[in-house]
Amino acid sequence: VVVTTGASGSCVLTFLALWDAGRRVGVLEPGYPCYRNDLAAFGVEVVGIPVGPDTGFRPTVAHLEAAGPLDGLVLASPSNPTGTVLAAEHLGPVLEWASAGGLAVVVDEIYHGITYGAAAPTALALADDVVVINSFSKYFSMTGWRLGWIVAPPVLIGPIERLGQNLAISAPTLSQRAGLAAFDCVAELEANVARYARNRAVLLERLPDLGLVTTAPPDGAFYLYADCSPLGLDSPELCRRWLDEAGVAVTPGIDFDPVRGRRWVRFSYAGAEADLVEATDRLTAWVGRR
Ligand SMILES: Cc1ncc(COP(=O)(O)O)c(C=O)c1O
């Protein structure tokens, strides 16, 4: 285990330790944009692997085989932006296939602890040769404290530590002390998860009134990815207008999927329940005014 500056820092260190320029690494589309951007910054060839509502945004071995030869793969469970959880029956075959093909796999488990059904299994229970990333930013609500960790096979710990020494030196001591204290705040943290669950229910109930399609309700994280095509505007334009005309911030899907993202939007429901109700009221009124 290596303690780092958030999951973002963990990804940078791990990607640098694993992949040289020219390697081909698969990322899911839609997926968290920093994977693509960080890998591209290091000269890695990013291979977008499209996943859609037909598989609940879950990758299958068929998806991976269709991507052509790969040196590595980055996954997230639960995922940003779809909230998709990879259960053992989904993750197991993918990890097995990757291991057989000699791919290095990184699994971002930053949203572990925030699920609305069965808990998300850790990839470490299914394979020994994966790298798992985690952070205090989500379940522990310590986003600005820049604290995370990497669980990696022993052979990678030395290179990751050497890169960490040169890039960030260490995670802040104050944050590490606060992180230890956060382990004693489970009641408060579980109350946060209960609030996300109520907010998720509000969104699932109200989004159809806006004409949005939610084909795969999120199993985890605090995001909902919805098809906005029935509204007849592409997502950057729709989100710009919602911000300007209704004062509601929603993220356009192109952040997460440069190819198909124009017909998708991502809602974040981590905030207060009253704010979410107000936001959906405003969007419903906006749709009514059109
Ligand atoms: C999937 C995923 N990984 C990593 C991060 C970055 O987290 P951190 O604040 O720990 O750098 C985020 C933040 O939104 C995320 O959604």
Side-chain angles (χ1 to χ4, degrees):
V1 177
V2 183
V3 176
T4 71
T5 52
S8 313
S10 299
C11 288
V12 168
L13 295 177
T14 307
F15 296 170
L16 277 171
L18 279 172
W19 297 307
D20 309 325
R23 301 290 185 118
R24 283 171 52 91
V25 175
V27 299
L28 299 192
E29 289 172 348
Y32 181 56
C34 300
Y35 308 142
R36 158 185 299 281
N37 297 336
D38 289 344
L39 288 166
F42 309 145
V44 171
E45 186 184 339
V46 179
V47 182
I49 301 174
V51 289
D54 53 324
T55 59
F57 297 101
R58 295 182 180 89
T60 61
V61 167
H63 284 119
L64 304 175
E65 280 175 344
L70 292 173
D71 298 300
L73 179 66
V74 184
L75 299 172
S77 171
S79 127
N80 179 4
T82 59
T84 303
V85 169
L86 301 178
E89 80 239 43
H90 308 120
L91 192 51
V94 166
L95 295 179
E96 219 171 281
W97 177 87
S99 180
L103 277 74
V105 181
V106 177
V107 186
D108 184 344
E109 298 188 348
I110 190 169
Y111 293 101
H112 267 223
I114 308 176
T115 48
Y116 308 110
T122 174
L124 296 166
L126 302 167
D128 291 329
D129 50 356
V130 285
V131 176
V132 163
I133 304 285
N134 213 319
S135 164
F136 283 80
S137 288
K138 307 299 178 185
Y139 178 73
F140 294 100
S141 297
M142 287 176 55
T143 312
W145 293 78
R146 314 310 310 135
L147 190 63
W149 69 95
I150 306 169
V151 184
V155 66
L156 276 176
I157 297 290
I160 287 174
E161 278 182 340
R162 285 193 290 279
L163 287 162
Q165 269 290 322
N166 286 282
L167 287 170
I169 301 180
S170 73
T173 309
L174 287 178
S175 304
Q176 295 193 52
R177 294 214 178 262
L180 287 175
F183 288 134
D184 296 327
C185 302
V186 172
E188 188 180 336
L189 300 171
E190 286 300 314
N192 288 344
V193 178
R195 186 181 76 249
Y196 308 149
R198 288 194 300 276
N199 288 350
R200 171 183 178 274
V202 168
L203 271 184
L204 285 173
E205 189 193 316
R206 290 180 155 217
L207 288 188
D209 297 342
L210 298 179
L212 297 179
V213 185
T214 311
T215 33
D219 319 305
F222 34 65
Y223 306 113
L224 192 148
Y225 202 54
D227 180 353
C228 63
S229 57
L231 293 184
L233 293 174
D234 71 353
S235 60
E237 156 121 40
L238 180 65
C239 293
R240 166 59 55 201
R241 288 192 55 187
W242 277 350
L243 190 60
D244 290 347
E245 297 168 22
V248 177
V250 180
T251 312
I254 48 164
D255 272 8
F256 310 98
D257 182 344
V259 184
R260 284 155 296 271
R262 287 184 177 273
R263 58 178 289 179
W264 296 87
V265 287
R266 188 205 69 174
F267 291 85
S268 170
Y269 51 87
E273 198 175 347
D275 289 345
L276 193 81
V277 170
E278 167 73 20
T280 45
D281 281 348
R282 288 190 196 185
L283 294 183
T284 308
W286 183 91
V287 168
R289 284 198 299 274
R290 286 184 79 211

